[in-house]
Amino acid sequence: MLMVAACAAEPSTLDGFDRTEAEIDGRSLTLLVADTSIQRNQGLRGVDAMPEGIDGMLFVFETPRPATFAMSETVISLDVWWFDGEGILIGSAPMTPCHSDPCPTYASPGVVKWALETPTGEIELTAGDRLLVDHDG
């Protein structure tokens, strides 16, 4: 099982992340991309707000797999959205910052190719919505 630390890092740390455009159920999103193990482990760690013009962070896995997220050292609350290998939304969870050890973990409901983190309540999606993105990792 892959463990990904969700959210929190100095804003300058985000400079190394690529950006991509995505669409989910007709809604256009501008996303930071975490497509290496180092970037997935960094995530939004330490970030106190999403950068202007950025809707979230897309975690891209080379091959579909179960994924688990943790919110250690996280400053902002996030929603995580899990997408299978076809880009279909198969589940989501609200995640809250954790300041003690051990932190709760948030496991995908199945095998995923992408996970999307967005600030809590910023977007609403429904199981079955399709992610369209030109970034396969």
Side-chain angles (χ1 to χ4, degrees):
M1 185 175 287
L2 178 69
M3 177 82 108
V4 178
C7 317
E10 293 303 310
S12 61
T13 304
L14 296 178
D15 292 341
F17 290 85
D18 289 338
R19 294 176 185 217
T20 194
E21 299 297 319
E23 184 179 308
I24 303 172
D25 196 35
R27 178 186 178 130
S28 294
L29 301 171
T30 301
L31 305 171
L32 296 172
V33 177
D35 61 0
T36 68
S37 60
I38 291 170
Q39 289 176 328
R40 287 189 296 267
N41 284 327
Q42 175 61 52
L44 296 170
R45 190 179 307 276
V47 173
D48 60 6
M50 204 60 69
E52 187 172 335
I54 300 295
D55 297 299
M57 181 172 279
L58 184 66
F59 293 76
V60 182
F61 303 100
E62 295 85 7
T63 57
R65 65 188 73 181
T68 301
F69 283 60
M71 294 286 283
S72 61
E73 301 176 34
T74 301
V75 180
I76 59 176
S77 296
L78 297 165
D79 291 327
V80 61
W81 310 91
W82 289 293
F83 296 87
D84 69 11
E86 301 299 317
I88 304 299
L89 179 64
I90 62 168
S92 65
M95 302 187 300
T96 57
C98 176
H99 305 291
S100 62
D101 196 24
C103 288
T105 58
Y106 304 88
S108 63
V111 173
V112 296
K113 171 74 177 167
W114 298 275
L116 172 63
E117 289 182 344
T118 59
T120 297
E122 291 290 313
I123 66 172
E124 286 296 323
L125 302 175
T126 304
D129 285 351
R130 180 178 288 273
L131 169 70
L132 300 173
V133 63
D134 187 26
H135 199 100
D136 289 328

